[in-house]
């Protein structure tokens, strides 16, 4: 059955599917981003010296808050939420900064205080970011979407190798073979299956890959946790937030990076879905991002941002309904409050996720290349803009230590290939095309009608 046509709004993202398919596609989204979602609380909790049970509490809180943030982003409230198929999760961008705050003696309370204040300030500056939409013609958006896909490929490769560089089986042929098997299943299902099978090919491949890992003895479903069936997050379980000025200032820079990355994510998913994304929609999406981030410490979690991994899933499957992602948000909430469900999902081996991630993240890059193919390159500087911005975005990907000897704020701003390419493409387009109206118009005219 094809995606039901939206009747009133005329927007692809407002289409609805039967409940069964909605939940299946929603679960596919969650399995795609689960590994990336639990990594930040795991790293920060370890740095804070927490025990296994307390780290588990941080992970459950991350799932719970990310689910609520996803529901806000996809369903929306007045002035909050882009109503686009965008999954929200704990951002990896601020992990290094939050670990520094923890190690500085402030502990988790100082982290939570810094997140609350910096996100509240970010909420106030969202109108500024919403007004820069006119500076994002296809030459910029296509470049950024391409780099989003490329910047995610190292994640897929690390997953395929096992996920933990210190583990004995890091890069073992068995891990890579499991990833290759999962990738082969994704490709096979897309090749021989019908349209309905192709849309859930990633989900089916993860199930088959996990079963293969069980037969090979590489994973097992551990004993279900004893205790409460429901474990609701306790507000301020690690103490009341502490507000330290240096910590707040360092997190403010992270908030600016998150605003930049979320703006890029909103525009990327808009391109893939084929729906107009104007300044008002950008502002609503950013406000949802910042409100979720400001409130997340109440439930012992960290800053929220859009997950680029899931943009690839939208591109690959062609399922554009925001209600599918809303179902994924609901699943995240359940994973956060029902410990048994979290154990089941966590049993999926990282190499399985890596095999699926290769084609997912490649789909994002392919979408960006498709947009760049529509840009006019004759008698203008667009080729230079694209070439330089992609190269600039690849620097932290191919050489993560490139900015280590620069001031810390430089590394924070440019450590992400997404934010680096976004800033480079934006500035170069302004520099080379702002004084060449014809070039800008030609570039803009290549956008498909909304």
């Amino acid at each position: 059955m094809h995606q039901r046509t939206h009747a009133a709004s005329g927007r692809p993202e407002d289409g609805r599917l039967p409940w069964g398919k909605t939940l299946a596609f929603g679960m596919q989204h969650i399995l795609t981003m689960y590994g990336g979602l639990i990594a930040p609380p795991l790293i920060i909790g370890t740095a804070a010296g927490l025990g296994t049970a307390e780290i588990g509490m941080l992970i459950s809180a991350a799932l719970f808050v990310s689910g609520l943030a996803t529901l806000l982003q996809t369903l929306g409230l007045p002035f909050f939420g882009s109503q686009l198929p965008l999954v929200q999760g704990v951002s990896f961008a601020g992990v290094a900064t939050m670990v520094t705050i923890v190690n500085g003696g402030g502990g988790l309370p100082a982290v939570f205080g810094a997140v609350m204040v910096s996100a509240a300030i970010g909420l106030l500056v969202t109108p500024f970011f919403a007004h820069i939409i006119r500076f994002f013609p296809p030459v910029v958006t296509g470049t950024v979407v391409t780099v989003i896909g490329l910047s995610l490929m190292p994640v897929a490769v690390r997953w395929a190798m096992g996920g933990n560089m210190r583990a004995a089986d890091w890069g073992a042929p068995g891990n890579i073979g499991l990833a290759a098997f999962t990738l082969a299943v994704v490709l096979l299902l897309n090749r021989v299956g019908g349209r309905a099978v192709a849309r859930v090919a990633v989900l089916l491949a993860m199930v088959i890959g996990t079963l293969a890992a069980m037969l090979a003895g590489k994973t097992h479903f551990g004993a279900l946790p004893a205790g409460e069936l429901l474990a609701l997050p306790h507000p301020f379980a690690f103490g009341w937030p502490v507000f330290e000025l240096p910590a707040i200032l360092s997190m403010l820079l992270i908030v600016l990076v998150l605003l930049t990355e979320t703006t890029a994510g909103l525009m990327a998913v808009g391109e893939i879905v084929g729906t107009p994304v104007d300044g008002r929609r950008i502002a609503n999406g950013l406000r949802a991002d910042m409100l979720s981030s400001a409130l997340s410490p109440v439930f012992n979690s960290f800053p929220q941002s859009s997950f680029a991994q899931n943009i690839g899933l939208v591109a690959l499957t062609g399922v554009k309904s925001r209600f599918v992602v809303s179902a994924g948000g609901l699943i995240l909430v359940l994973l956060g409050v029902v410990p048994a469900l979290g154990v089941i999902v966590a049993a999926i081996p990282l190499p399985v996720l890596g095999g699926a991630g290769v084609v997912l993240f490649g789909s994002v890059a392919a979408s960006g290349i498709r947009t760049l193919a529509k840009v006019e390159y004759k008698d203008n500087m667009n080729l230079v803009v694209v070439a330089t911005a992609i190269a600039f975005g690849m620097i932290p990907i191919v050489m993560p230590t490139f900015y280590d000897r620069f001031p810390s704020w430089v590394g924070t701003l440019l450590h992400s290939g997404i934010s680096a390419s976004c800033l480079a493409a934006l500035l170069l387009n302004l520099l080379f095309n702002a004084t060449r109206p014809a070039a800008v118009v030609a570039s803009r005219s290549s956008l498909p009608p909304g």
Side-chain angles (χ1 to χ4, degrees):
M1 182 181 293
H2 298 290
Q3 186 167 332
R4 292 179 183 172
T5 306
H6 40 282
S9 69
R11 303 189 309 184
E13 65 273 23
D14 290 338
R16 293 179 181 268
L17 295 170
W19 273 107
K21 290 187 175 182
T22 297
L23 290 173
F25 290 136
M27 177 57 78
Q28 190 170 233
H29 272 285
I30 300 315
L31 295 180
T32 299
M33 53 90 74
Y34 189 85
L37 176 57
I38 66 174
L42 180 61
I43 294 170
I44 298 168
T46 302
L50 301 182
T52 302
E54 292 173 312
I55 291 177
M57 188 185 301
L58 282 182
I59 291 174
S60 294
L63 296 169
F64 178 76
V65 172
S66 297
L68 294 179
T70 299
L71 290 171
L72 177 62
Q73 188 70 268
T74 53
L75 299 179
L77 293 172
F79 304 108
F80 293 94
S82 63
Q83 296 186 337
L84 285 167
L86 208 59
V87 177
Q88 297 289 115
V90 176
S91 172
F92 209 94
V95 168
T97 298
M98 288 185 280
V99 168
T100 300
I101 295 172
V102 166
N103 292 335
L108 286 178
V111 171
F112 292 145
V115 170
M116 293 178 77
V117 175
S118 59
I121 295 173
L123 188 59
L124 296 177
V125 303
T126 50
F128 166 76
F129 277 82
H131 282 100
I132 67 174
I133 185 71
R134 64 182 183 274
F135 301 118
F136 282 81
V139 68
V140 175
T141 57
T143 300
V144 173
V145 174
T146 301
V147 174
I148 287 175
L150 296 176
S151 68
L152 289 170
M153 290 309 299
V155 176
V157 172
R158 285 194 293 269
W159 286 347
M161 296 179 71
N164 184 1
M165 296 180 65
R166 294 185 291 273
D169 65 344
W170 168 255
N175 287 340
I176 297 174
L178 183 58
F181 172 75
T182 306
L183 173 61
V185 173
V186 173
L187 298 177
L188 181 64
L189 291 175
N190 274 280
R191 177 66 181 88
V192 303
R195 184 175 179 84
V197 172
R199 284 181 165 178
V200 292
V202 173
L203 175 61
L204 293 175
M206 287 190 205
V207 172
I208 295 171
T210 301
L211 292 175
M214 292 178 65
L215 293 175
K218 288 185 170 295
T219 190
H220 61 87
F221 293 93
L224 297 181
E228 299 174 304
L229 179 62
L230 293 178
L232 295 174
H234 299 287
F236 301 116
F238 295 92
W240 291 96
V242 174
F243 304 101
E244 298 178 351
L245 184 59
I248 292 171
L249 292 177
S250 63
M251 284 304 301
L252 263 177
L253 189 55
I254 298 299
V255 163
L256 294 178
V257 173
L258 294 181
L259 288 171
T260 303
E261 290 190 352
T262 299
T263 300
L266 289 165
M267 299 189 67
V269 79
E271 288 273 346
I272 292 170
V273 171
T275 190
V277 178
D278 54 16
R280 180 179 178 182
R281 211 163 188 191
I282 292 285
N284 289 345
L286 294 179
R287 277 193 287 264
D289 212 32
M290 290 296 101
L291 180 64
S292 301
S293 296
L295 295 179
S296 63
V298 176
F299 296 103
N300 318 300
S301 195
F302 307 105
Q304 301 288 307
S305 184
S306 61
F307 259 51
Q309 292 96 314
N310 298 85
I311 297 174
L313 192 57
V314 175
L316 180 66
T317 64
V319 179
K320 303 173 182 179
S321 172
R322 60 189 173 97
F323 301 107
V324 162
V325 178
S326 299
L330 183 60
I331 293 171
L332 277 177
V333 172
L334 292 175
L335 289 173
V337 300
V338 181
L341 293 178
V343 169
I344 294 172
V345 174
I348 299 174
L350 286 178
V352 171
L353 295 177
V358 169
V359 66
L360 287 176
F361 305 157
S363 296
V364 181
S367 296
I369 294 171
R370 184 171 55 192
T371 298
L372 290 175
K374 301 171 184 176
V375 174
E376 177 60 56
Y377 295 99
K378 186 177 181 180
D379 298 326
N380 58 41
M381 297 291 290
N382 283 337
L383 185 62
V384 174
V385 172
V386 173
T388 307
I390 288 180
F392 198 64
M394 292 300 295
I395 288 175
I397 299 172
V398 300
M399 187 56 64
T401 60
F402 188 83
Y403 297 109
D404 280 4
R405 302 188 67 176
F406 284 74
S408 59
W409 66 268
V410 175
T412 300
L413 190 62
L414 301 179
H415 85 285
S416 164
I418 299 172
S419 57
S421 66
C422 185
L423 291 173
L426 180 64
L427 294 176
L428 289 172
N429 181 64
L430 289 174
L431 177 65
F432 292 136
N433 288 334
T435 56
R436 299 170 59 89
V440 178
V441 171
S443 179
R444 287 183 181 276
S445 67
S446 63
L447 258 180

